[in-house]
Amino acid sequence: MPGPLSGVRVLELARILAGPWAGQVLADLGADVIKVERKGAGDDTRGWGPPFMPAADGGNLGAAYYHATNRGKRSIEIDFDSEEDRAIVKKLAAKSDILIENFKVGGLKKFGLDYDSMAKEFPKLIYCSVTGFGQTGPYAPRAGYDLLVQGMGGIMDVTGNPDGEPMRVGVPMVDIFTGTFSVIGILSALHEREKTGKGTHVDCSLIESQTSVLANQAMSYLASGVSPKRQGNSHPVVVPYQVFPVADGHIIIACGNDGQFGKLCGVLGEPGIAQEAKFKTNSDRVINRNELIERLIALTSKISRADILEKLEKVTVPAGPINSVADVFADPHVIARGMQLALPEDKAKNGTVPGVRSPITIGGRPMAAPTASPRLGQHTEEILREIGEA
């Protein structure tokens, strides 16, 4: 069955991660996403390896990184310096609902492919610009990279151990959030166009995305005037809610209310702790965090991981293991939910390319594009025929 965005065409003039992530989400939802790539080179991430995706002929199909964010698209090679090729881009835009680009601010103006130029020719086009710092402001001309913006956007200052260096999140979260917010903006603009008949400019930036997802940490600062700091795996305002050592490793215990805390103390063989005045409410526990955590660690350290997790699950106290990435894909629940994909690709070593599906399920249908990431220029002739150029 076609996806909910079947019939919607997206022209992707984007590379690396944030822009292509937006394109992949739209492809998962059923849109026809045409990825425009530099002739002879393609998306930079095609070479961001090892590891590379093995090909049937003994070579490779590009870096795993590239395949993480380009599923379900069609690829056409274009020389932006060629007037003839730029005309092809405009022909594609004329047949598209959405254009996604992540050039530096003003980078497409010299090609006549910037928003102002395109809006005049294609007033119904929804044009999404994904940049480091947005279309306005003193930093607008700068290039943006996930690591830089994690630092500038505050997340690194609240991530890591108190006595360690500021720490980046282990995945490019700023790029991923920006790509996801771009999709929200694009779909909202698409809905608005149904009422107005007009396209618009969606402006999404890494710095705004990162700032917006500071969430409770931002509000804590705005409410108190005190900038939050790194505190490892503990929660700033919920206790106990952190990593605990056990006899054979570590687990996570996350008590979100007083009832759960009482059950935890019972499992640990010390129900009286929950009745002590200094630990009775969450506010008390936050104030007396250090003493409480020291006492709880002394108890959890004596119990095996499997034993304590089983007991906590029986009394509905939220707790869980700390899985490796390999553990995640071996987890029975992740398997049951079908998160790992095997997409057909006759050039691949085993005839398929693995992937991780979108977390979106609509009407019982998991949203995942059925095709692997395209080879560079794989669909050039096909796409040119569709616009009468071949």
Side-chain angles (χ1 to χ4, degrees):
M1 181 183 292
L5 293 185
S6 177
V8 173
R9 174 168 283 184
V10 180
L11 188 61
E12 182 188 295
L13 310 182
R15 65 273 191 222
I16 315 296
L17 185 51
W21 189 271
Q24 180 170 272
V25 173
L26 294 170
D28 280 339
L29 292 169
D32 175 18
V33 180
I34 296 176
K35 184 177 182 69
V36 176
E37 302 191 69
R38 291 175 296 155
K39 189 166 287 186
D43 192 310
D44 296 352
T45 61
R46 287 182 180 274
W48 281 16
F52 293 93
M53 200 64 64
D57 63 5
N60 70 73
L61 298 177
Y65 198 113
Y66 165 77
H67 288 274
T69 188
N70 288 290
R71 174 178 62 247
K73 303 175 187 179
R74 297 192 289 162
S75 171
I76 179 172
E77 291 184 275
I78 288 292
D79 178 2
F80 284 97
D81 292 321
S82 161
E83 184 175 347
E84 182 180 335
D85 279 14
R86 292 197 300 272
I88 288 172
V89 174
K90 288 196 174 184
K91 276 196 169 186
L92 290 170
K95 292 180 175 291
S96 298
D97 299 283
I98 298 156
L99 185 150
I100 302 171
E101 62 90 8
N102 64 348
F103 285 71
K104 288 175 65 176
V105 172
L108 286 173
K109 191 174 182 64
K110 63 182 177 181
F111 301 127
L113 299 174
D114 58 302
Y115 171 69
D116 290 335
S117 301
M118 298 291 273
K120 291 174 184 175
E121 291 190 58
F122 314 111
K124 295 186 69 175
L125 185 66
I126 293 161
Y127 189 109
C128 177
S129 296
V130 180
T131 57
F133 299 95
Q135 300 296 303
T136 60
Y139 301 159
R142 296 185 185 180
Y145 293 90
D146 181 274
L147 176 60
L148 294 177
V149 177
Q150 283 201 35
M152 295 177 70
I155 194 68
M156 288 177 67
D157 196 49
V158 295
T159 304
N161 291 320
D163 55 353
E165 67 178 10
M167 189 65 62
R168 68 179 285 271
V169 178
V171 295
M173 63 160 285
V174 185
D175 279 330
I176 292 169
F177 269 120
T178 305
T180 303
F181 282 130
S182 295
V183 172
I184 295 170
I186 287 167
L187 295 182
S188 298
L190 197 63
H191 178 69
E192 184 178 56
R193 192 180 71 178
E194 291 295 310
K195 295 180 284 187
T196 66
K198 296 179 181 179
T200 191
H201 194 190
V202 177
D203 174 9
C204 275
S205 74
L206 302 186
I207 190 65
E208 289 166 283
S209 296
Q210 174 54 73
T211 302
S212 74
V213 298
L214 286 172
N216 58 300
Q217 297 281 37
M219 288 306 297
S220 292
Y221 163 69
L222 295 173
S224 68
V226 178
S227 188
K229 293 298 181 183
R230 297 186 299 281
Q231 54 186 83
N233 288 312
S234 62
H235 195 287
V237 294
V238 181
V239 177
Y241 192 105
Q242 64 182 73
V243 171
F244 284 90
V246 291
D248 52 352
H250 292 83
I251 64 166
I252 294 167
I253 299 174
C255 291
N257 57 53
D258 298 337
Q260 291 172 351
F261 175 62
K263 293 176 183 177
L264 168 65
C265 294
V267 166
L268 295 178
E270 293 286 350
I273 293 177
Q275 300 306 313
E276 295 183 30
K278 55 189 170 183
F279 305 137
K280 206 161 192 178
T281 70
N282 182 70
S283 296
D284 298 324
R285 295 192 292 275
V286 171
I287 293 168
N288 298 291
R289 177 197 303 267
N290 292 341
E291 180 185 347
L292 174 61
I293 297 305
E294 184 177 341
R295 290 174 64 178
L296 293 179
I297 286 175
L299 298 171
T300 63
S301 299
K302 300 173 183 178
I303 310 172
S304 73
R305 186 173 95 154
D307 188 24
I308 191 170
L309 288 178
E310 181 182 2
K311 290 177 178 177
L312 291 174
E313 184 173 1
K314 284 181 178 177
V315 297
T316 66
V317 171
I322 300 171
N323 287 334
S324 67
V325 175
D327 292 334
V328 172
F329 288 100
D331 186 284
H333 189 79
V334 173
I335 293 170
R337 296 293 291 178
M339 287 301 297
Q340 183 171 337
L341 302 173
L343 303 170
E345 168 55 80
D346 58 5
K347 302 293 185 183
K349 183 177 180 181
N350 298 313
T352 62
V353 170
V356 184
R357 77 162 175 84
S358 157
I360 303 168
T361 298
I362 298 176
R365 291 179 294 146
M367 294 292 105
T371 58
S373 301
R375 301 184 297 279
L376 178 59
Q378 179 180 347
H379 305 94
T380 297
E381 291 186 11
E382 173 183 299
I383 293 167
L384 290 177
R385 283 196 302 271
E386 291 174 0
I387 58 173
E389 288 288 329

